[in-house]
Amino acid sequence: MSYIFLIYALIYVGCFVWLIRHYRQVEHLGTLALIVIVLALAYDNFVLFLGHLIAPGALFEGLGRWRYVLHSALTPWLLFVAVNFLQRAGFRWCNRTVMLVVLGLVIVLSLAGFIGGFTLTLETKYVDGTLVAAGTVEFIGGFTLTLETKTVADWVRLVPDNALSPGWARLLPRLTAVLSTLAFIVIGILFWRRLDWKWLALGAILMFIVSAAVHGDYGLIFTNLGEIIFMLSLIWTDARVNQVVVI
């Protein structure tokens, strides 16, 4: 089962290689942000693949910590990509002021998941015969996020412990992911109506449906597949909006 995540990671590596070549031609900041996000998603899925190969310990702790932090810190930058798409497509109302406001919001949300007294301390315990390692990640203002190691089939990962984690720390990554997806749904509809480009809207809607409908231990497989389709729609749109039009 864990090899599915290796396939996902390799798909992202292919996207990363293509984006690097594309960026050399266009040199857009939105494209650069996509490169960083895609690389982080490749790392995310590769760590999920490695989980069953690495025993809980310092290496497992470090990889799992950075998987969570990168996801929390980089997801807000999808909002920057969204505004960059609008500017490149020639939407005049999306001016410098709008970009600066969005950029400020992105930086605040990104730092909230990354800066602070950042530590991850693990303790080992057994729950129903399954090895679980619990620990905490400290955030700004003394907020902490408690993580536990969860074993499903043949993969192992760090996940938030809902019972011990404060709501603020658990909800922030989800909130930024929902905001980004909704933003791309709206922008995708604009592109569909004005530019006859439907793929951004369809990719974002699919991501929203999968995130809302799929739950449980095996839901991560489908959620990550939805992320791949969503990111492919962003990459395809990034190539599409190189030709600036006036709207």
Side-chain angles (χ1 to χ4, degrees):
M1 189 71 70
S2 61
Y3 286 94
I4 293 176
F5 297 107
L6 177 60
I7 295 173
Y8 291 171
L10 293 176
I11 292 174
Y12 280 121
V13 169
C15 292
F16 172 76
V17 172
W18 187 89
L19 280 169
I20 288 292
R21 297 178 62 183
H22 178 60
Y23 177 74
R24 291 174 178 173
Q25 298 174 352
V26 299
E27 296 185 350
H28 290 302
L29 291 178
T31 306
L32 184 60
L34 276 178
I35 290 173
V36 177
I37 293 170
V38 164
L39 189 60
L41 288 171
Y43 172 85
D44 182 285
N45 284 275
F46 189 64
V47 170
L48 287 173
F49 162 69
L50 288 178
H52 74 292
L53 301 175
I54 304 175
L59 179 59
F60 179 83
E61 169 191 338
L63 293 174
R65 175 198 305 174
W66 281 103
R67 173 181 170 263
Y68 180 81
V69 171
L70 287 175
H71 191 276
S72 300
L74 293 179
T75 297
W77 287 94
L78 287 172
L79 294 172
F80 174 82
V81 174
V83 176
N84 183 261
F85 280 178
L86 289 170
Q87 288 188 329
R88 288 159 58 186
F91 286 81
R92 293 179 178 177
W93 54 266
C94 189
N95 53 32
R96 180 180 177 85
T97 300
V98 173
M99 173 59 83
L100 290 176
V101 171
V102 172
L103 183 60
L105 175 64
V106 166
I107 291 174
V108 170
L109 291 174
S110 183
L111 290 178
F114 194 81
I115 297 178
F118 183 86
T119 60
L120 179 62
T121 305
L122 296 176
E123 63 178 3
T124 302
K125 62 180 180 180
Y126 288 88
V127 178
D128 296 330
T130 300
L131 180 64
V132 174
T136 60
V137 179
E138 298 178 0
F139 288 87
I140 296 173
F143 292 101
T144 60
L145 176 65
T146 302
L147 303 176
E148 63 180 9
T149 303
K150 193 168 188 178
T151 305
V152 179
D154 64 342
W155 85 79
V156 185
R157 61 190 175 103
L158 285 172
V159 296
D161 185 329
N162 294 330
L164 300 177
S165 302
W168 175 88
R170 288 187 289 108
L171 292 177
L172 180 61
R174 299 178 186 176
L175 176 62
T176 54
V178 170
L179 285 176
S180 300
T181 306
L182 290 176
F184 277 112
I185 289 176
V186 173
I187 294 170
I189 292 173
L190 288 175
F191 278 23
W192 198 341
R193 294 181 58 187
R194 303 286 184 89
L195 307 179
D196 194 27
W197 182 255
K198 62 184 177 182
W199 302 112
L200 180 60
L202 294 179
I205 291 171
L206 175 64
M207 183 71 253
F208 186 82
I209 293 174
V210 170
S211 298
V214 177
H215 299 284
D217 292 329
Y218 292 92
L220 187 65
I221 296 174
F222 301 101
T223 301
N224 284 20
L225 178 60
E227 282 184 345
I228 289 176
I229 296 173
F230 176 48
M231 292 306 299
L232 288 174
S233 74
L234 296 188
I235 294 169
W236 198 4
T237 302
D238 187 90
R240 170 75 172 182
V241 295
N242 280 333
Q243 298 296 326
V244 176
V245 296
V246 177
I247 298 176

